Amino acid sequence: MVLMIKHESFQPGIGVGTWAWGNRFLWNYNSLSDDSTLYTTFNTAISLGLNFFDTADSYGTGNLNGRSELLLGRFVSQLSQNQVQQLTLATKLAPFPWRFKHGYRKAFYSSKSRLQGHLARVQLHSSTARYAPYQEGFLIDALAQLVYDKHVNSLGISNVGPKGLGKIYRRLAMKGVRLASVQVQFSLLTYNQALQREMILVSRALGIEVLAYSPLALGILSLSSPS
Ligand SMILES: NC(=O)c1ccc[n+]([C@@H]2O[C@H](COP(=O)([O-])OP(=O)(O)OC[C@H]3O[C@@H](n4cnc5c(N)ncnc54)[C@H](OP(=O)(O)O)[C@@H]3O)[C@@H](O)[C@H]2O)c1
């Protein structure tokens, strides 16, 4: 699940996360037994009116890399054109060091192809500011170019703090590209609530949608409390 605070109204909404789709290590994914359940889950989400889906090019473990995008693309292709038009599919592209050198075109088109063309938003999966600050601007510029050239509608960032967020927002604004969303881990168990509150305030001031990932702390918050 992904909780959303939309920039137009700052009303909360719910999106669908697809991290578990193809992930053997953490989520015990098994293609034979899980794919039909995931398809049912996807259709249930659609029937409930959920229209935002979050995936990543790194989702799917080992040789299942890209599986989440692949399944999502497959499921979306079964919908009517009218239903597809209501959806926003967002992927996250990993900040691999070679992408700093070669850019994002190849990765972007691989993701778009797995998603059968239905890709509305690209997000930088995580900030590199802490370990390779010199790379971040290039990575952001490469993603911004995809928006600028109209290959994709919108751009987001993930795993960044409020200062980094402001910096990226300003860099993009100078290029005439709007930062649509920021995706951060945010649940009642998030250790630094003050920092997350600051994220929300900064995002609100800049008109950026907040996507709260792992809102149930990977399911821990859904366990019933001991009596
Ligand atoms: N940007 C990033 O770096 C990043 C990192 C992590 C996640 N994310 C995104 O955020 C999404 C959500 O993360 P998450 O999977 O950690 O989320 P979560 O919502 O905190 O946890 C999901 C877990 O909660 C369980 N659960 C129990 N009751 C539930 C209920 N009523 N509704 C929903 N789930 C319930 C699920 O069970 P089942 O197994 O039965 O579904 C699953 O095990 C991911 O899929 C991904 O798209 C992004």
Short mmCIF file of all heavy atoms in Angstrom, two decimals, residues 1-2 17-19 27 54 59 92 125 158-159 183 213-219 222, ligand 1:
data_model
loop_
_atom_site.label_atom_id
_atom_site.label_comp_id
_atom_site.label_asym_id
_atom_site.label_seq_id
_atom_site.Cartn_x
_atom_site.Cartn_y
_atom_site.Cartn_z
N MET A 1 0.84 -1.19 0.00
CA MET A 1 0.00 0.00 0.00
C MET A 1 0.89 1.25 0.00
O MET A 1 1.97 1.25 0.56
CB MET A 1 -0.87 -0.01 1.26
CG MET A 1 -1.94 1.05 1.27
SD MET A 1 -2.52 1.44 2.92
CE MET A 1 -2.87 -0.12 3.63
N VAL A 2 0.41 2.31 -0.65
CA VAL A 2 1.10 3.60 -0.64
C VAL A 2 0.06 4.65 -0.28
O VAL A 2 -1.00 4.70 -0.91
CB VAL A 2 1.68 3.94 -2.04
CG1 VAL A 2 2.40 5.27 -2.01
CG2 VAL A 2 2.63 2.85 -2.52
N GLY A 17 1.03 -0.54 -4.02
CA GLY A 17 2.46 -0.83 -4.16
C GLY A 17 2.66 -2.24 -4.68
O GLY A 17 1.87 -3.14 -4.38
N THR A 18 3.70 -2.45 -5.48
CA THR A 18 3.90 -3.76 -6.11
C THR A 18 5.29 -4.33 -5.83
O THR A 18 5.83 -5.10 -6.62
CB THR A 18 3.68 -3.65 -7.64
OG1 THR A 18 4.66 -2.76 -8.16
CG2 THR A 18 2.29 -3.13 -7.97
N TRP A 19 5.87 -3.96 -4.71
CA TRP A 19 7.19 -4.41 -4.32
C TRP A 19 7.25 -5.94 -4.19
O TRP A 19 8.23 -6.59 -4.55
CB TRP A 19 7.54 -3.74 -2.99
CG TRP A 19 8.85 -4.04 -2.37
CD1 TRP A 19 9.98 -4.51 -3.00
CD2 TRP A 19 9.20 -3.87 -1.00
NE1 TRP A 19 11.01 -4.63 -2.10
CE2 TRP A 19 10.55 -4.24 -0.86
CE3 TRP A 19 8.50 -3.42 0.13
CZ2 TRP A 19 11.22 -4.20 0.36
CZ3 TRP A 19 9.17 -3.36 1.34
CH2 TRP A 19 10.51 -3.74 1.45
N TRP A 27 9.24 -11.56 0.32
CA TRP A 27 7.79 -11.77 0.28
C TRP A 27 7.42 -13.17 -0.21
O TRP A 27 6.24 -13.42 -0.49
CB TRP A 27 7.13 -10.70 -0.61
CG TRP A 27 7.37 -9.30 -0.14
CD1 TRP A 27 8.25 -8.41 -0.66
CD2 TRP A 27 6.74 -8.63 0.96
NE1 TRP A 27 8.21 -7.22 0.02
CE2 TRP A 27 7.29 -7.33 1.02
CE3 TRP A 27 5.76 -8.99 1.89
CZ2 TRP A 27 6.91 -6.39 1.97
CZ3 TRP A 27 5.38 -8.06 2.83
CH2 TRP A 27 5.95 -6.79 2.87
N ASP A 54 2.41 1.83 -8.01
CA ASP A 54 3.84 2.14 -7.87
C ASP A 54 4.66 0.86 -8.06
O ASP A 54 4.39 -0.15 -7.42
CB ASP A 54 4.09 2.71 -6.47
CG ASP A 54 5.56 2.99 -6.23
OD1 ASP A 54 6.11 3.89 -6.91
OD2 ASP A 54 6.19 2.31 -5.40
N TYR A 59 12.41 -4.12 -8.82
CA TYR A 59 11.52 -5.04 -8.12
C TYR A 59 11.49 -6.39 -8.85
O TYR A 59 11.33 -6.46 -10.07
CB TYR A 59 10.09 -4.50 -8.03
CG TYR A 59 9.92 -3.37 -7.03
CD1 TYR A 59 8.69 -2.74 -6.87
CD2 TYR A 59 10.97 -2.92 -6.23
CE1 TYR A 59 8.51 -1.70 -5.97
CE2 TYR A 59 10.80 -1.88 -5.33
CZ TYR A 59 9.57 -1.27 -5.20
OH TYR A 59 9.40 -0.25 -4.31
N LYS A 92 10.05 3.38 -10.49
CA LYS A 92 11.24 4.01 -9.91
C LYS A 92 12.45 3.41 -10.61
O LYS A 92 12.57 2.19 -10.72
CB LYS A 92 11.30 3.73 -8.40
CG LYS A 92 10.10 4.28 -7.64
CD LYS A 92 10.22 4.10 -6.15
CE LYS A 92 10.05 2.67 -5.70
NZ LYS A 92 8.73 2.05 -6.01
N HIS A 125 14.87 6.37 -7.73
CA HIS A 125 14.53 5.47 -6.62
C HIS A 125 15.09 5.94 -5.29
O HIS A 125 14.47 5.77 -4.24
CB HIS A 125 15.01 4.04 -6.93
CG HIS A 125 14.28 2.98 -6.15
ND1 HIS A 125 13.95 1.77 -6.69
CD2 HIS A 125 13.80 2.96 -4.88
CE1 HIS A 125 13.31 1.05 -5.78
NE2 HIS A 125 13.21 1.75 -4.67
N SER A 158 12.51 9.76 -4.67
CA SER A 158 12.22 8.94 -3.49
C SER A 158 13.42 8.91 -2.57
O SER A 158 14.56 9.09 -3.03
CB SER A 158 11.86 7.51 -3.95
OG SER A 158 11.62 6.69 -2.84
N ASN A 159 13.16 8.65 -1.30
CA ASN A 159 14.23 8.50 -0.30
C ASN A 159 15.18 9.70 -0.29
O ASN A 159 16.36 9.60 -0.58
CB ASN A 159 15.00 7.20 -0.55
CG ASN A 159 14.12 5.99 -0.37
OD1 ASN A 159 13.42 5.88 0.63
ND2 ASN A 159 14.10 5.09 -1.33
N GLN A 183 8.56 10.32 -2.56
CA GLN A 183 8.13 9.07 -1.93
C GLN A 183 9.09 8.76 -0.78
O GLN A 183 10.29 8.63 -0.98
CB GLN A 183 8.18 7.95 -2.98
CG GLN A 183 7.60 6.66 -2.48
CD GLN A 183 7.49 5.58 -3.56
OE1 GLN A 183 7.69 4.44 -3.28
NE2 GLN A 183 7.15 5.95 -4.78
N TYR A 213 5.45 5.46 1.68
CA TYR A 213 5.56 4.01 1.45
C TYR A 213 5.70 3.25 2.76
O TYR A 213 6.07 3.82 3.78
CB TYR A 213 6.66 3.70 0.44
CG TYR A 213 8.11 3.76 0.88
CD1 TYR A 213 8.67 2.82 1.73
CD2 TYR A 213 8.95 4.75 0.36
CE1 TYR A 213 10.01 2.86 2.07
CE2 TYR A 213 10.29 4.80 0.70
CZ TYR A 213 10.82 3.85 1.56
OH TYR A 213 12.14 3.90 1.90
N SER A 214 5.39 1.96 2.71
CA SER A 214 5.35 1.09 3.89
C SER A 214 4.54 1.74 5.03
O SER A 214 5.00 1.79 6.17
CB SER A 214 6.76 0.74 4.37
OG SER A 214 7.46 0.04 3.38
N PRO A 215 3.32 2.22 4.74
CA PRO A 215 2.53 2.88 5.79
C PRO A 215 2.12 1.94 6.92
O PRO A 215 1.79 2.40 8.01
CB PRO A 215 1.31 3.40 5.04
CG PRO A 215 1.21 2.54 3.82
CD PRO A 215 2.61 2.17 3.45
N LEU A 216 2.16 0.60 6.65
CA LEU A 216 1.87 -0.36 7.72
C LEU A 216 3.16 -0.97 8.26
O LEU A 216 3.13 -2.03 8.89
CB LEU A 216 0.95 -1.47 7.19
CG LEU A 216 -0.45 -1.03 6.79
CD1 LEU A 216 -1.21 -2.19 6.15
CD2 LEU A 216 -1.21 -0.50 8.00
N ALA A 217 4.29 -0.30 8.00
CA ALA A 217 5.60 -0.78 8.46
C ALA A 217 5.81 -2.25 8.04
O ALA A 217 6.13 -3.10 8.86
CB ALA A 217 5.76 -0.60 9.96
N LEU A 218 5.62 -2.51 6.74
CA LEU A 218 5.76 -3.85 6.15
C LEU A 218 4.79 -4.85 6.77
O LEU A 218 5.07 -6.04 6.84
CB LEU A 218 7.20 -4.37 6.25
CG LEU A 218 8.23 -3.73 5.30
CD1 LEU A 218 8.76 -2.43 5.87
CD2 LEU A 218 9.36 -4.67 5.02
N GLY A 219 3.65 -4.38 7.24
CA GLY A 219 2.63 -5.28 7.77
C GLY A 219 2.62 -5.37 9.29
O GLY A 219 1.67 -5.86 9.86
N SER A 222 -0.36 -4.02 11.00
CA SER A 222 -1.65 -4.66 10.78
C SER A 222 -1.86 -5.85 11.71
O SER A 222 -2.93 -6.44 11.74
CB SER A 222 -1.78 -5.12 9.32
OG SER A 222 -0.85 -6.15 9.09
N1 LIG B 1 10.63 4.05 -2.53
C1 LIG B 1 11.09 3.01 -1.88
O1 LIG B 1 12.31 2.86 -1.66
C2 LIG B 1 10.12 1.98 -1.39
C3 LIG B 1 10.50 1.07 -0.39
C4 LIG B 1 9.55 0.15 0.06
C5 LIG B 1 8.27 0.16 -0.47
N2 LIG B 1 7.94 1.05 -1.46
C6 LIG B 1 6.59 1.05 -2.09
O2 LIG B 1 5.60 1.06 -1.09
C7 LIG B 1 4.73 -0.06 -1.27
C8 LIG B 1 4.19 -0.49 0.06
O3 LIG B 1 5.26 -0.92 0.89
P1 LIG B 1 5.06 -2.14 1.88
O4 LIG B 1 4.73 -3.36 1.12
O5 LIG B 1 6.23 -2.16 2.80
O6 LIG B 1 3.71 -1.60 2.62
P2 LIG B 1 2.90 -1.83 3.91
O7 LIG B 1 1.55 -1.43 3.53
O8 LIG B 1 3.58 -1.14 5.06
O9 LIG B 1 2.98 -3.39 4.22
C9 LIG B 1 2.36 -4.34 3.39
C10 LIG B 1 2.19 -5.57 4.22
O10 LIG B 1 1.08 -5.36 5.08
C11 LIG B 1 0.22 -6.48 5.01
N3 LIG B 1 -1.14 -6.09 5.30
C12 LIG B 1 -1.87 -6.56 6.33
N4 LIG B 1 -3.07 -5.99 6.37
C13 LIG B 1 -3.14 -5.15 5.33
C14 LIG B 1 -4.15 -4.28 4.83
N5 LIG B 1 -5.34 -4.16 5.42
N6 LIG B 1 -3.87 -3.54 3.74
C15 LIG B 1 -2.67 -3.64 3.13
N7 LIG B 1 -1.67 -4.45 3.55
C16 LIG B 1 -1.92 -5.20 4.65
C17 LIG B 1 0.41 -6.98 3.60
O11 LIG B 1 -0.07 -8.29 3.56
P3 LIG B 1 -0.14 -9.15 2.21
O12 LIG B 1 1.19 -9.79 2.08
O13 LIG B 1 -1.25 -10.09 2.48
O14 LIG B 1 -0.44 -8.19 1.10
C18 LIG B 1 1.91 -6.82 3.46
O15 LIG B 1 2.57 -7.91 4.09
C19 LIG B 1 5.61 -1.11 -1.97
O16 LIG B 1 4.85 -2.10 -2.59
C20 LIG B 1 6.35 -0.22 -2.93
O17 LIG B 1 5.56 0.09 -4.05
C21 LIG B 1 8.83 1.97 -1.91
#
